[in-house]
Amino acid sequence: MTDRDVVPEDITEDTVTDAVVDSFAGSADPRLQALLSAVVRHLHAAVREVEPTIAEWEAAVDFLTRTGQTCDDTRQEFVLLSDVLGISALVENINHRKVAGATEATVLGPFHMTESPVRANGDSIDLVGGREPCVVTGRVLTTVGDPVPGASVDVWQADENGFYDVQRPDVQPAGNGRGLFTTDDEGRFWFSTVVPSWYPIPTDGPVGRLLGATGRHPNRPAHVHFIADADGFVPVTTHIFVAGSPYLDSDAVFAVKRSLVRDFDPVDDAAEAARSGVANPFRHAQVDLVVERAEPTAAG
Ligand code: BEZ
Ligand code: FE
């Protein structure tokens, strides 16, 4: 018997996919096996479709290497890659399919990296004193419109120049644009802030170069992030988009939903401004967040 007889048959272009999928047959975890098998089948199909040259494949590996090398404690370039390829939006949409009447979910994004400071209703999350003050009033409601008292409402947003506090620690104090509020007995929350600006996602890494090479802009429309959570309910992670903002029709991360666009109305009312602790005139947005009841568990 020669060494050649030990090899049952050649692995070819036609058989390599099944060979790799079969190699996972001994997986202890069936979900891992299913995931890896699907990833291999789809990647092989893409390779068959485009037939990359060796140089193109090396460039792809180099791109992924540089993406990994760009990650650190405060920068997650792989998440950004997932965002601009629409994978984050797809995973979010699959995991939070529309529930009648509930606020639609959208991507978390990379800037929820620090805990929001606990704040009281009526506080300002603008620690800098921006040009365009804004009052946000809202409620957390059930899908049948009942108020949810004691719900937590975590808020974070970019400033009016389009930067989060963590991006410009020299200009913005930590916690600027962030607040953790609790709804009152009628499910209400309210705070003052500035109208956020649209902004570009980070473009100084491999993902930015990918956008440039494909003629895509890096911008996100103006928005405020929210997570509403309460005992017995499914937490909702979402944004409220500022009506009229540029890029509502071409968000770089595919996260806009029409149901999440809100007017930030101009208000000229000195008494109301004084009550809310902002300069007059100001803008006002009403943000109701509707949460779905959690399925009861065996534990009750
Ligand atoms: C954000 O909205 O904070 C965001 C989401 C995805 C990528 C970059 C930023
Ligand atoms: Fe954002």
Side-chain angles (χ1 to χ4, degrees):
M1 192 170 175
T2 67
D3 281 356
R4 257 188 239 164
D5 298 322
V6 177
V7 180
E9 59 187 58
D10 289 347
I11 300 287
T12 67
E13 202 178 309
D14 295 329
T15 61
V16 65
T17 305
D18 285 344
V20 180
V21 169
D22 290 350
S23 76
F24 299 133
S27 303
D29 177 347
R31 179 68 175 159
L32 176 67
Q33 182 180 355
L35 285 169
L36 285 173
S37 301
V39 167
V40 165
R41 269 194 246 100
H42 288 274
L43 284 177
H44 284 215
V47 170
R48 284 195 179 87
E49 184 182 323
V50 299
E51 299 197 341
T53 63
I54 300 290
E56 285 170 335
W57 177 241
E58 285 173 355
V61 171
D62 182 55
F63 172 79
L64 292 175
T65 305
R66 283 181 290 112
T67 299
Q69 287 167 340
T70 308
C71 297
D72 61 24
D73 288 350
T74 56
R75 174 87 180 249
Q76 232 304 354
E77 196 76 357
F78 271 114
V79 173
L80 207 55
L81 181 60
S82 154
D83 294 335
V84 302
L85 296 182
I87 298 169
S88 306
L90 181 56
V91 171
E92 185 65 47
N93 288 338
I94 287 170
N95 281 276
H96 297 105
R97 293 202 167 98
K98 249 185 178 173
V99 172
T103 297
E104 288 193 272
T106 194
V107 299
L108 176 70
F111 293 116
H112 190 249
M113 50 173 50
T114 58
E115 272 183 28
S116 300
V118 172
R119 301 196 195 278
N121 283 311
D123 281 357
S124 179
I125 63 171
D126 169 26
L127 310 181
V128 179
R131 294 180 300 274
E132 197 166 25
C134 176
V135 174
V136 175
T137 55
R139 291 173 302 171
V140 177
L141 300 170
T142 69
T143 51
V144 292
D146 293 331
V148 182
S152 66
V153 179
D154 194 349
V155 181
W156 68 107
Q157 67 165 80
D159 68 6
E160 54 197 0
N161 300 310
F163 293 101
Y164 287 85
D165 58 348
V166 289
Q167 292 177 290
R168 295 185 112 189
D170 46 333
V171 179
Q172 297 186 43
N176 189 49
R178 298 179 193 267
L180 183 62
F181 297 89
T182 303
T183 56
D184 71 5
D185 290 347
E186 293 171 52
R188 296 176 303 187
F189 62 92
W190 63 99
F191 60 91
S192 58
T193 181
V194 288
V195 180
S197 170
W198 61 270
Y199 62 82
I201 62 172
T203 54
D204 56 345
V207 171
R209 282 194 287 283
L210 180 145
L211 292 179
T214 54
R216 281 176 55 181
H217 72 70
N219 301 320
R220 300 216 60 212
H223 59 271
V224 181
H225 296 258
F226 289 89
I227 301 175
D229 194 7
D231 282 349
F233 292 86
V234 180
V236 62
T237 299
T238 194
H239 305 3
I240 292 301
F241 293 93
V242 180
S245 170
Y247 308 110
L248 277 173
D249 60 349
S250 61
D251 182 5
V253 305
F254 307 97
V256 175
K257 295 180 180 190
R258 281 174 301 177
S259 71
L260 301 177
V261 179
R262 291 285 179 287
D263 290 325
F264 281 57
D265 296 312
V267 181
D268 187 355
D269 182 335
E272 192 51 47
R275 265 196 298 279
S276 300
V278 295
N280 194 49
F282 61 99
R283 306 263 296 268
H284 172 243
Q286 173 71 22
V287 175
D288 286 347
L289 301 168
V290 181
V291 286
E292 172 200 352
R293 275 191 200 281
E295 298 285 335
T297 61

Short mmCIF file of all heavy atoms in Angstrom, two decimals, residues 79-80 83 107-111 156 164 199 201-202 220 223 225 239 253, ligand 1:
data_model
loop_
_atom_site.label_atom_id
_atom_site.label_comp_id
_atom_site.label_asym_id
_atom_site.label_seq_id
_atom_site.Cartn_x
_atom_site.Cartn_y
_atom_site.Cartn_z
N VAL A 79 -17.15 46.03 14.39
CA VAL A 79 -18.57 46.42 14.54
C VAL A 79 -18.92 47.45 13.47
O VAL A 79 -19.98 47.38 12.83
CB VAL A 79 -18.87 46.95 15.96
CG1 VAL A 79 -20.29 47.49 16.03
CG2 VAL A 79 -18.67 45.87 17.00
N LEU A 80 -18.00 48.37 13.23
CA LEU A 80 -18.24 49.39 12.20
C LEU A 80 -18.39 48.73 10.83
O LEU A 80 -19.24 49.13 10.03
CB LEU A 80 -17.04 50.36 12.21
CG LEU A 80 -17.30 51.78 11.74
CD1 LEU A 80 -18.42 52.44 12.52
CD2 LEU A 80 -16.01 52.60 11.86
N ASP A 83 -21.68 47.32 10.66
CA ASP A 83 -22.66 48.40 10.51
C ASP A 83 -22.78 48.84 9.05
O ASP A 83 -23.88 48.94 8.50
CB ASP A 83 -22.27 49.62 11.36
CG ASP A 83 -22.31 49.35 12.85
OD1 ASP A 83 -23.05 48.45 13.27
OD2 ASP A 83 -21.60 50.05 13.60
N VAL A 107 -30.21 49.92 15.63
CA VAL A 107 -28.88 49.50 16.12
C VAL A 107 -28.43 50.26 17.37
O VAL A 107 -28.75 51.43 17.55
CB VAL A 107 -27.80 49.63 15.03
CG1 VAL A 107 -28.14 48.77 13.82
CG2 VAL A 107 -27.61 51.08 14.60
N LEU A 108 -27.65 49.57 18.20
CA LEU A 108 -27.10 50.18 19.42
C LEU A 108 -26.01 51.19 19.07
O LEU A 108 -25.93 52.27 19.67
CB LEU A 108 -26.52 49.08 20.32
CG LEU A 108 -25.82 49.51 21.60
CD1 LEU A 108 -26.82 50.07 22.60
CD2 LEU A 108 -25.06 48.33 22.23
N GLY A 109 -25.16 50.85 18.10
CA GLY A 109 -24.03 51.72 17.75
C GLY A 109 -22.91 51.60 18.76
O GLY A 109 -23.08 51.00 19.83
N PRO A 110 -21.74 52.17 18.46
CA PRO A 110 -20.55 51.96 19.29
C PRO A 110 -20.37 52.97 20.41
O PRO A 110 -19.42 52.87 21.17
CB PRO A 110 -19.41 52.10 18.28
CG PRO A 110 -19.93 53.08 17.29
CD PRO A 110 -21.41 52.89 17.22
N PHE A 111 -21.27 53.95 20.53
CA PHE A 111 -20.99 55.03 21.49
C PHE A 111 -21.71 54.87 22.82
O PHE A 111 -21.71 55.77 23.65
CB PHE A 111 -21.29 56.40 20.86
CG PHE A 111 -20.36 56.73 19.73
CD1 PHE A 111 -20.83 56.88 18.44
CD2 PHE A 111 -19.00 56.86 19.96
CE1 PHE A 111 -19.96 57.16 17.39
CE2 PHE A 111 -18.11 57.15 18.93
CZ PHE A 111 -18.60 57.29 17.64
N TRP A 156 -28.45 58.84 24.95
CA TRP A 156 -27.14 59.38 24.57
C TRP A 156 -27.21 59.96 23.17
O TRP A 156 -27.95 59.49 22.32
CB TRP A 156 -26.01 58.36 24.74
CG TRP A 156 -25.98 57.17 23.83
CD1 TRP A 156 -25.13 56.95 22.80
CD2 TRP A 156 -26.81 55.99 23.89
NE1 TRP A 156 -25.38 55.73 22.22
CE2 TRP A 156 -26.40 55.13 22.87
CE3 TRP A 156 -27.88 55.59 24.71
CZ2 TRP A 156 -27.01 53.89 22.63
CZ3 TRP A 156 -28.49 54.37 24.48
CH2 TRP A 156 -28.05 53.53 23.46
N TYR A 164 -19.69 62.72 19.94
CA TYR A 164 -20.03 62.21 21.27
C TYR A 164 -18.94 62.64 22.25
O TYR A 164 -17.79 62.90 21.85
CB TYR A 164 -20.14 60.68 21.24
CG TYR A 164 -21.39 60.21 20.52
CD1 TYR A 164 -21.41 60.08 19.14
CD2 TYR A 164 -22.56 59.95 21.23
CE1 TYR A 164 -22.56 59.67 18.48
CE2 TYR A 164 -23.71 59.54 20.57
CZ TYR A 164 -23.70 59.41 19.19
OH TYR A 164 -24.85 59.02 18.55
N TYR A 199 -23.77 63.29 11.69
CA TYR A 199 -22.31 63.17 11.84
C TYR A 199 -21.78 62.02 10.99
O TYR A 199 -22.52 61.09 10.65
CB TYR A 199 -21.94 62.95 13.32
CG TYR A 199 -22.48 61.69 13.95
CD1 TYR A 199 -21.83 60.47 13.78
CD2 TYR A 199 -23.64 61.72 14.72
CE1 TYR A 199 -22.33 59.31 14.36
CE2 TYR A 199 -24.14 60.57 15.29
CZ TYR A 199 -23.48 59.38 15.11
OH TYR A 199 -23.97 58.23 15.67
N ILE A 201 -19.57 58.65 10.64
CA ILE A 201 -18.96 57.60 11.45
C ILE A 201 -17.44 57.68 11.23
O ILE A 201 -16.99 58.30 10.26
CB ILE A 201 -19.52 56.21 11.09
CG1 ILE A 201 -19.22 55.86 9.63
CG2 ILE A 201 -21.01 56.15 11.35
CD1 ILE A 201 -19.58 54.43 9.28
N PRO A 202 -16.63 57.09 12.12
CA PRO A 202 -15.17 57.25 11.97
C PRO A 202 -14.69 56.75 10.60
O PRO A 202 -15.02 55.65 10.17
CB PRO A 202 -14.62 56.38 13.10
CG PRO A 202 -15.72 56.33 14.11
CD PRO A 202 -16.99 56.36 13.33
N ARG A 220 -24.39 59.77 9.14
CA ARG A 220 -25.63 59.33 9.79
C ARG A 220 -26.52 60.56 10.00
O ARG A 220 -26.04 61.62 10.41
CB ARG A 220 -25.35 58.71 11.18
CG ARG A 220 -24.45 57.49 11.14
CD ARG A 220 -24.89 56.49 12.20
NE ARG A 220 -26.26 56.10 11.92
CZ ARG A 220 -27.16 55.78 12.84
NH1 ARG A 220 -26.83 55.79 14.11
NH2 ARG A 220 -28.39 55.44 12.49
N HIS A 223 -29.72 62.19 15.29
CA HIS A 223 -30.57 61.29 16.08
C HIS A 223 -30.19 61.35 17.55
O HIS A 223 -29.10 61.78 17.91
CB HIS A 223 -30.43 59.85 15.58
CG HIS A 223 -29.02 59.35 15.64
ND1 HIS A 223 -28.13 59.52 14.61
CD2 HIS A 223 -28.34 58.70 16.62
CE1 HIS A 223 -26.96 59.00 14.95
NE2 HIS A 223 -27.05 58.50 16.17
N HIS A 225 -30.19 58.55 20.79
CA HIS A 225 -30.34 57.13 21.13
C HIS A 225 -31.13 56.98 22.43
O HIS A 225 -30.95 57.77 23.37
CB HIS A 225 -28.98 56.48 21.39
CG HIS A 225 -28.07 56.43 20.22
ND1 HIS A 225 -27.88 55.29 19.49
CD2 HIS A 225 -27.27 57.37 19.66
CE1 HIS A 225 -26.99 55.51 18.53
NE2 HIS A 225 -26.60 56.78 18.61
N HIS A 239 -33.49 54.67 18.22
CA HIS A 239 -33.11 56.08 18.05
C HIS A 239 -34.39 56.86 17.76
O HIS A 239 -35.36 56.30 17.25
CB HIS A 239 -32.30 56.37 16.79
CG HIS A 239 -31.05 55.63 16.51
ND1 HIS A 239 -30.53 54.61 17.26
CD2 HIS A 239 -30.18 55.83 15.49
CE1 HIS A 239 -29.39 54.21 16.69
NE2 HIS A 239 -29.17 54.93 15.62
N VAL A 253 -25.40 53.46 8.02
CA VAL A 253 -25.49 52.16 8.70
C VAL A 253 -26.90 51.55 8.58
O VAL A 253 -27.22 50.59 9.28
CB VAL A 253 -25.02 52.25 10.17
CG1 VAL A 253 -23.61 52.82 10.26
CG2 VAL A 253 -25.97 53.04 11.04
C1 BEZ B 1 -24.24 55.59 16.29
O1 BEZ B 1 -25.34 55.96 16.01
O2 BEZ B 1 -23.79 56.00 17.35
C2 BEZ B 1 -23.47 54.73 15.33
C3 BEZ B 1 -24.05 53.57 14.84
C4 BEZ B 1 -23.32 52.77 13.97
C5 BEZ B 1 -22.03 53.13 13.59
C6 BEZ B 1 -21.45 54.30 14.09
C7 BEZ B 1 -22.19 55.11 14.96
#
